[in-house]
Amino acid sequence: MPPADPLSVLLAGGRRAGRLAHVEHLPARAGRTAPWPAWADADVVAGYAALGVERPWRHQAVAADALWRGRHVVLATSTGSGKSLAAWLPALTAIRAGNAEGGRISRLSRRPTALYLSPTKALAADQAAALARVLDAAAIRDVRAATCDGDTGLDERDWVRDHADVVLTNPDFLHLSFLPGHRRWQRVLRSLRVVVLDECHAYRGVLGAHVALVLRRLLRLARHYGADPAVFLASATTAAPATTAARLLGVPEDDVTAVVEDHSPAGRRTVALWVPPVSTRAPGGDGTGDGEPALAAAAEGEEVGPRRSAAAETAELLAALVRAGHRTLAFTRARASAEAVAERVREELRGDRHLDGRVAAYRGGYLPEERRALEQAIRSGDLLGLATTNALELGVDLSGLDAVLIAGWPGTRASLWQQAGRSGRAGRDGVAVLVAGDNPLDTYLTSHPEAIFGAPVEATTFDPANPYVLAPHLCAAAAELPLGGRDLPAFGATASELLDELVRRGLLRRRADGWYWNYARPEDPSRLTDLRGGGTEATVQIVEAGTGRLLGTVDAARADATVHPGAVYVHQGRTYVVETLADDVALVHEETVLAYRTRAQSSTRVTVLATRDERDWGDVRWGLGTVELTSRVTAFQRLRVPSLETLGTFPLDRPERRLRTTAVWWTVTPAALAEAGIGTAELPGALHAAEHASIGLLPLVATCDRWDIGGLSTALHEQTLLPTVFVYDGLPGGSGFAERGYAAAVGWLTATRDLVAACGCRDGCPGCVQSPKCGNNNSPLDKAAARRLLDLVLSREPAAQHVPVA
């Protein structure tokens, strides 16, 4: 008999029906094709036909034609809509046309080239394999494609530089090796016809700003060698794709052709919102009940604990789908969660010889051959369940999946639809289930499905003008090729002022014809920053005392909170206790610690350095500007596992750390607070709860995660002289998220107020005003007063006036 519908399997004959919060049915879509372009290489077309592509989808033909004409193109369509064909068809046609011009050495050294950039090595490898299939099917032997990244050996790099027509790599390799060594890559650069930036929606926040500047450096060098490449940007469905593409490339929006109408076929897709059950927190219990006992306990007036974790619920649902024979991906937010979900499902299925070995985990950190084997196994059906991080959200071709489980909101609607799109690919029907986590945003979304299904996909947010990001790229660009006045528009309006500052600091030298890197400096300019973080701050090594064995590393900025003396450090299931933290080394010893884990407490002070903009709402005033955070870890707690009961608090004396970033803040007058009935005793808890809830809801209006941002609230700030709530970007210079919150203040706080009002808890819970990252142990919090405070702030909005700040 055929397996039951995946959603029916999850409902378990009604036993889990109470967990289904909402179901959305997305209709099927018929595909619409177009003729192959007249300019397309006949052999390439024959290769695609041999692989089953008789004619391109209409959006593929439109995008390919614009790219062939030399336009920058962004193709923003759904998962599995064949975006790569639109890039490879003109790129391969151009390369083959150049090869056909003759075999003289001068022509061979100038035959067209293409550069492919992806956010992950796995995706580049997958694209290389897909491209090889096209070339093999077409029997094309005169186009050479090769991957080249940090793992590529020196001999192989030499071959790629000398012979490859298509180079597949990533922005990190471009930044650290390709661009600094551009003279060795000039054969590729002088003939560069097409640059492909895959999954461009993934470049947001500080990473997006870095990649935008890397692309501008690349295009500058290509022009220096006489090339004028067209850039093809492949994206998930996203808002304002032309704006995003233009900002990434540093060109006017009119220079970009956006193709957004999807003409590929799609099966009927069912998307469900799923809320795990609450659990009883009995004395000594583990808080992982199945929900029904908790409801009974609530009826009797007993304390009801938190909801079951999204990971635990996802494991149960994945096991049910695997038993029913459905091929399923389960997306998790972290590597540890992927491993834990897979292990829990394997334990549940243990003893069933038909399912033994048919569930696995997939994440970064695996060897490439392991990842390829897992991808093939889920494609073939040898694996029925795969618990994965977002490593499988991007690009890697997986088809024929019956269902997708998503453990917790993935951060953006674009990511949600990318992950959900893995189900029912190639025109099949599919089911995707978002399993809510116990946090404010997930709670809000499951009770407001229109915020998912009725709202447009977010625009990607990043700020290339962030001086902490721009400055090191200007240094790198000057080292690659001296910067002249004609180069500055590509780097933004603030570049000239920043160059003068870099000269004052001795990093650059100013001459009549431009700015030069100061080669007397000991630094490598390309190593002044890394693309995946905010800078080059040192890491702390975690070393086992006695043996000297290196267990791992942690960012220096996080070390005081994670590997302070007395902290419990978990590594591959083993527990270690930190003895000392000094000189960028944390010494630990292995010790079996089952009863507790540790959590740091910290204090933070915010100083406003410059106000960029203000809005006057009468009794409420909003601000946006540059702030400096001064923070220090002051103590740590031992928390009983798994109840998280505090066993003790222990003081720490760690140094202060400073961060200059961007923040949005609002203040409210004492008179308005008195009018709203918020007294002096309630005020700190009201502000703190409103701060937590607003941090949790900022990802609703900005493409960020709550871990990208932070906040602080105070009943009397030393500069505003009023009760103030700050929400700030967590990386130097800012990420653009606080700015987005300022721009969307009304919608942001309205959603925050609605969340606090709708949450059914009595005094506050992780679903509304509690925060998993609070340095003060979620104290004080006053949920009822926070609701009145948010009502007060929003009630002043109609009187809002924009007040620009000089």
Side-chain angles (χ1 to χ4, degrees):
M1 294 180 62
D5 169 76
L7 190 57
S8 299
V9 171
L10 297 180
L11 294 173
R15 293 193 302 278
R16 300 193 193 100
R19 310 180 195 182
L20 186 63
H22 180 81
V23 178
E24 193 84 7
H25 297 291
L26 307 179
R29 180 182 64 231
R32 300 175 67 188
T33 62
W36 290 101
W39 49 259
D41 181 88
D43 290 338
V44 175
V45 170
Y48 277 112
L51 295 174
V53 183
E54 294 298 332
R55 286 159 62 97
W57 306 122
R58 185 168 297 183
H59 64 267
Q60 293 173 321
V62 171
D65 191 64
L67 188 66
W68 176 256
R69 290 186 284 106
R71 295 278 298 173
H72 299 312
V73 175
V74 57
L75 178 56
T77 51
S78 63
T79 306
S81 59
K83 291 185 279 287
S84 60
L85 181 149
W88 292 132
L89 183 64
L92 295 177
T93 297
I95 292 168
R96 297 212 76 214
N99 290 345
E101 290 180 1
R104 290 196 314 230
I105 295 297
S106 61
R107 289 192 182 278
L108 289 174
S109 66
R110 289 185 175 275
R111 66 177 180 262
T113 59
L115 188 63
Y116 169 90
L117 305 172
S118 75
T120 66
K121 294 176 183 178
L123 180 51
D126 187 73
Q127 275 293 312
L131 184 56
R133 286 193 294 271
V134 174
L135 296 175
D136 288 344
I140 291 175
R141 300 291 179 260
D142 59 351
V143 176
R144 291 163 290 194
T147 57
C148 190
D149 54 40
D151 296 334
T152 306
L154 295 180
D155 290 342
E156 191 175 350
R157 285 192 198 188
D158 289 341
W159 186 93
V160 173
R161 279 195 292 263
D162 293 340
H163 302 292
D165 304 302
V166 180
V167 180
L168 300 101
T169 185
N170 52 64
D172 308 81
F173 183 79
L174 211 62
H175 167 61
L176 294 171
S177 183
F178 187 105
L179 298 180
H182 63 89
R183 290 171 182 84
R184 289 174 291 170
W185 289 94
Q186 60 181 288
R187 181 193 66 83
V188 175
L189 283 166
R190 79 161 65 95
S191 304
L192 192 56
R193 179 71 176 268
V194 172
V195 177
V196 180
L197 185 68
D198 209 351
E199 306 290 357
C200 71
H201 65 280
Y203 300 118
R204 61 182 178 87
V206 169
L207 175 61
H210 279 302
V211 171
L213 294 166
V214 169
L215 289 169
R216 297 172 198 201
R217 287 162 52 200
L218 170 66
L219 296 177
R220 172 176 174 257
L221 288 175
R223 288 190 293 269
H224 170 72
Y225 286 107
D228 187 20
V231 183
F232 179 91
L233 303 99
S235 174
T237 303
T238 183
T243 303
T244 297
R247 202 172 191 190
L248 279 167
L249 301 179
V251 301
E253 192 171 329
D254 289 344
D255 289 354
V256 179
T257 296
V259 180
V260 298
E261 190 169 354
D262 193 338
H263 295 283
S264 62
R268 182 174 181 267
R269 182 169 292 125
T270 299
V271 182
L273 305 184
W274 191 275
V275 180
V278 294
S279 55
T280 307
R281 184 182 296 166
D286 65 2
T288 56
D290 63 5
E292 283 71 25
L295 297 177
E300 295 296 325
E302 298 178 25
E303 182 182 4
V304 175
R307 293 193 178 277
R308 190 183 197 189
S309 75
E313 184 76 358
T314 297
E316 177 184 323
L317 301 181
L318 179 58
L321 289 168
V322 168
R323 279 200 187 96
H326 290 296
R327 270 188 284 175
T328 306
L329 282 185
F331 285 99
T332 68
R333 296 297 306 275
R335 294 179 178 186
S337 297
E339 295 282 4
V341 167
E343 181 57 30
R344 189 157 181 170
V345 174
R346 284 192 291 261
E347 288 178 4
E348 191 164 335
L349 301 177
R350 190 161 287 136
D352 188 327
R353 62 185 180 86
H354 298 292
L355 299 177
D356 188 36
R358 302 192 71 182
V359 174
Y362 181 106
R363 60 173 177 81
Y366 286 170
L367 296 175
E369 53 267 29
E370 293 178 295
R371 292 198 299 267
R372 300 293 85 76
L374 289 167
E375 291 161 15
Q376 179 55 36
I378 193 70
R379 287 189 193 107
S380 66
D382 291 340
L383 279 178
L384 285 175
L386 201 57
T388 177
T389 60
N390 64 359
L392 281 180
E393 174 186 324
L394 302 174
V396 177
D397 183 29
L398 294 176
S399 58
L401 298 177
D402 301 303
V404 163
L405 302 171
I406 303 169
W409 178 248
T412 66
R413 296 180 191 89
S415 288
L416 175 74
W417 294 120
Q418 279 287 97
Q419 294 180 8
R422 292 300 191 190
S423 68
R425 295 187 74 177
R428 294 167 51 118
D429 292 351
V431 171
V433 179
L434 172 63
V435 180
D438 200 7
N439 61 69
L441 183 56
D442 288 32
T443 300
Y444 179 86
L445 291 171
T446 52
S447 58
H448 294 79
E450 70 279 1
I452 298 175
F453 302 106
V457 176
E458 311 92 341
T460 305
T461 302
F462 56 92
D463 181 14
N466 178 342
Y468 289 86
V469 177
L470 178 56
H473 284 281
L474 290 173
C475 291
E480 290 154 9
L481 197 69
L483 284 162
R486 66 184 181 279
D487 298 316
L488 299 190
F491 290 100
T494 61
S496 180
E497 180 181 340
L498 201 52
L499 285 167
D500 293 339
E501 177 63 25
L502 292 170
V503 170
R504 283 193 291 272
R505 297 191 181 194
L507 290 160
L508 299 182
R509 287 180 172 172
R510 181 75 164 97
R511 296 179 182 171
D513 58 345
W515 292 266
Y516 289 70
W517 170 249
N518 180 3
Y519 283 98
R521 303 283 304 194
E523 303 96 336
D524 178 344
S526 65
R527 302 279 174 174
L528 291 175
T529 191
D530 66 279
L531 305 193
R532 307 287 169 169
T536 55
E537 186 173 15
T539 58
V540 171
Q541 295 183 320
I542 302 167
V543 177
E544 187 173 24
T547 68
R549 181 167 63 104
L550 178 65
L551 296 177
T553 62
V554 64
D555 293 340
R558 297 178 54 240
D560 286 342
T562 55
V563 289
H564 55 76
V568 175
Y569 173 73
V570 182
H571 180 80
Q572 295 184 352
R574 293 180 163 182
T575 54
Y576 299 80
V577 175
V578 179
E579 297 177 0
T580 62
L581 171 60
D583 299 324
D584 296 330
V585 174
L587 285 178
V588 304
H589 66 267
E590 186 169 1
E591 180 179 328
T592 302
V593 181
L594 300 177
Y596 69 90
R597 293 293 182 266
T598 52
R599 180 171 64 191
Q601 291 184 305
S602 62
S603 63
T604 303
R605 184 173 71 254
V606 174
T607 303
V608 178
L609 301 180
T611 302
R612 288 163 45 188
D613 203 41
E614 286 186 333
R615 291 195 183 112
D616 187 357
W617 287 12
D619 291 317
V620 174
R621 194 171 184 87
W622 285 82
L624 174 72
T626 302
V627 301
E628 183 174 75
L629 273 66
T630 305
S631 61
R632 187 168 72 88
V633 172
T634 57
F636 75 95
Q637 295 175 311
R638 287 181 177 173
L639 306 176
R640 188 191 303 277
V641 177
S643 67
L644 301 184
E645 172 192 354
T646 301
L647 300 175
T649 301
F650 305 86
L652 287 170
D653 184 17
R654 304 304 305 166
E656 285 187 342
R657 294 190 177 273
R658 297 179 185 274
L659 171 69
R660 186 171 294 196
T661 187
T662 301
V664 54
W665 63 88
W666 50 267
T667 63
V668 60
T669 65
L673 291 169
E675 181 184 327
I678 301 172
T680 303
E682 296 173 295
L683 182 58
L687 293 166
H688 196 193
E691 171 214 329
H692 281 182
S694 62
I695 288 172
L697 267 293
L698 184 57
L700 196 66
V701 297
T703 50
C704 67
D705 186 273
R706 72 179 299 155
W707 298 93
D708 296 331
I709 52 182
L712 178 139
S713 57
T714 175
L716 181 64
H717 188 259
E718 60 186 1
Q719 289 173 287
T720 66
L721 302 179
L722 290 168
T724 309
V725 172
F726 291 90
V727 176
Y728 54 81
D729 294 335
L731 288 169
S735 315
F737 305 138
E739 184 175 1
R740 178 62 186 148
Y742 179 75
V746 176
W748 174 29
L749 280 204
T750 299
T752 303
R753 187 269 317 276
D754 291 348
L755 166 77
V756 174
C759 187
C761 71
R762 183 177 56 199
D763 298 320
C765 69
C768 58
V769 299
Q770 291 182 9
S771 169
K773 51 186 282 191
C774 180
N776 294 308
N777 196 27
N778 285 295
S779 178
L781 292 175
D782 191 324
K783 176 187 173 183
R787 178 180 176 180
R788 298 200 302 276
L789 176 62
L790 291 166
D791 281 335
L792 162 64
V793 172
L794 289 167
S795 71
R796 277 16 185 203
E797 184 271 332
Q801 293 182 359
H802 185 66
V803 182
V805 176

